[in-house]
């Protein structure tokens, strides 16, 4: 069974700081890992997708890394802004014949204060 | 243009009723999903359909019945609603195909409240 853990559960930082969100998973046999953002009362917005053969992906101020063998991923946010405040979810796609679904962590709730 | 859409956005109903949630994707994807987000915000897969065929049916009560009339639609029908069914239900889609397992795109969610 795949378990996904995100640390910390909540984080508050002042604007302008660089920050790192952590994700770990118990079964390293994954196809890919996806980071999402969820605003209160809203749906999920895909931020970055890392295939199992990749080590990192970048989009703007976001950089996600993947170490499959150790079951870890990090999401790095540079120069944080109040608009980055949201819940960040990590999800992995299992390599078993489980129909392509994602296993989610419980998220990190981020607050960036002006 | 909305990629993955769901209706309704909010659904308030009494215990024991039967209700449906509709989902449509205009991305041309071959796989669609229903996820449930509980009161603690934890997202869990319920069903997965690939080319209109059921692939996953996680431990979901049989009161929940998905129906996929075509590859672009995956509806969720719920019979005899219970208080514990209150949650946000998300539809998602992705293209599996031969290029591997690609990005999943999510709809805006349907907030179901059972009174």
């Amino acid at each position: 069974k795949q378990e996904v853990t995100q640390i910390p559960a909540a984080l508050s930082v002042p604007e302008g700081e660089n920050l790192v969100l952590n994700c770990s998973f118990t079964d390293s046999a994954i196809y890919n890992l996806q980071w999402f953002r969820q605003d209160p009362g809203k749906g999920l917005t895909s931020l970055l997708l890392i295939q199992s053969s990749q080590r990192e992906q970048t989009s703007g101020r976001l950089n996600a890394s993947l170490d499959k063998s150790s079951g870890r991923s990090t999401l790095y946010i540079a120069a944080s802004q109040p608009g980055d405040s949201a819940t960040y979810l990590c999800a992995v796609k299992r390599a078993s014949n489980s129909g392509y679904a994602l296993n989610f962590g419980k998220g990190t709730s981020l607050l960036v204060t002006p | 243009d909305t990629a993955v859409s769901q209706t309704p956005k909010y659904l308030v109903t009494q215990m024991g009723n039967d209700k449906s949630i509709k989902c449509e994707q205009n991305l041309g994807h071959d796989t669609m999903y229903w996820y449930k987000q509980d009161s603690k915000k934890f997202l869990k897969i319920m069903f997965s359909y690939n080319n209109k065929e059921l692939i996953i049916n996680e431990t979901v009560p049989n009161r929940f019945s998905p129906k996929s009339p075509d590859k672009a639609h995956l509806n969720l029908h719920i019979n005899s609603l219970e208080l514990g069914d209150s949650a946000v239900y998300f539809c998602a889609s992705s293209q599996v195909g031969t290029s591997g397992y690609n990005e999943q795109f999510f709809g805006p969610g349907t907030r179901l409240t059972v009174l």
Side-chain angles (χ1 to χ4, degrees):
Chain A
K1 182 184 174 185
Q2 178 72 275
E3 292 187 6
V4 181
T5 304
Q6 291 187 244
I7 295 173
L11 182 62
S12 180
V13 300
E15 181 177 9
E17 275 204 6
N18 302 326
L19 57 101
V20 175
L21 308 181
N22 296 293
C23 172
S24 61
F25 44 94
T26 54
D27 184 352
S28 62
I30 64 169
Y31 279 121
N32 60 41
L33 183 146
Q34 201 166 346
W35 281 94
F36 293 89
R37 168 187 173 135
Q38 185 174 26
D39 293 282
K42 303 287 186 183
L44 278 70
T45 301
S46 179
L47 298 174
L48 289 164
L49 171 72
I50 311 178
Q51 300 292 354
S52 61
S53 59
Q54 297 174 322
R55 299 283 294 188
E56 66 177 342
Q57 283 286 337
T58 298
S59 175
R61 293 182 295 108
L62 304 179
N63 176 277
S65 68
L66 173 64
D67 184 342
K68 202 174 86 160
S69 60
S70 67
R72 294 173 190 246
S73 175
T74 61
L75 178 67
Y76 175 82
I77 303 177
S80 58
Q81 303 170 357
D84 295 331
S85 299
T87 296
Y88 290 81
L89 295 161
C90 166
V92 297
K93 189 182 290 290
R94 296 180 285 187
S96 62
N97 61 342
S98 56
Y100 325 121
L102 292 171
N103 282 101
F104 280 86
K106 294 187 178 180
T108 293
S109 179
L110 173 65
L111 176 65
V112 181
T113 55
Chain B
D1 284 345
T2 304
V4 182
S5 60
Q6 295 178 228
T7 54
K9 188 170 173 62
Y10 299 98
L11 186 52
V12 181
T13 188
Q14 298 287 330
M15 252 176 29
N17 284 350
D18 302 339
K19 290 293 179 186
S20 292
I21 307 172
K22 296 186 177 182
C23 177
E24 177 181 3
Q25 55 96 2
N26 62 6
L27 298 166
H29 288 165
D30 61 4
T31 306
M32 296 184 72
Y33 314 81
W34 278 109
Y35 289 86
K36 177 180 179 181
Q37 188 172 43
D38 60 25
S39 57
K40 295 182 180 178
K41 309 296 183 188
F42 186 51
L43 265 160
K44 192 170 180 183
I45 184 70
M46 298 175 68
F47 300 102
S48 171
Y49 265 75
N50 176 255
N51 284 315
K52 294 170 50 183
E53 289 190 22
L54 179 64
I55 305 298
I56 285 181
N57 179 355
E58 293 287 327
T59 51
V60 176
N62 57 14
R63 296 182 295 103
F64 290 79
S65 53
K67 285 187 172 52
S68 182
D70 54 59
K71 285 200 307 183
H73 296 85
L74 180 62
N75 303 323
L76 184 64
H77 188 76
I78 315 170
N79 289 327
S80 303
L81 278 155
E82 300 177 357
L83 294 176
D85 298 332
S86 296
V88 181
Y89 293 84
F90 286 99
C91 177
S93 74
S94 70
Q95 179 66 26
V96 175
T98 56
S99 60
Y101 301 94
N102 296 316
E103 203 170 0
Q104 282 195 21
F105 293 88
F106 280 71
T110 296
R111 182 174 293 276
L112 171 65
T113 303
V114 182
L115 303 174

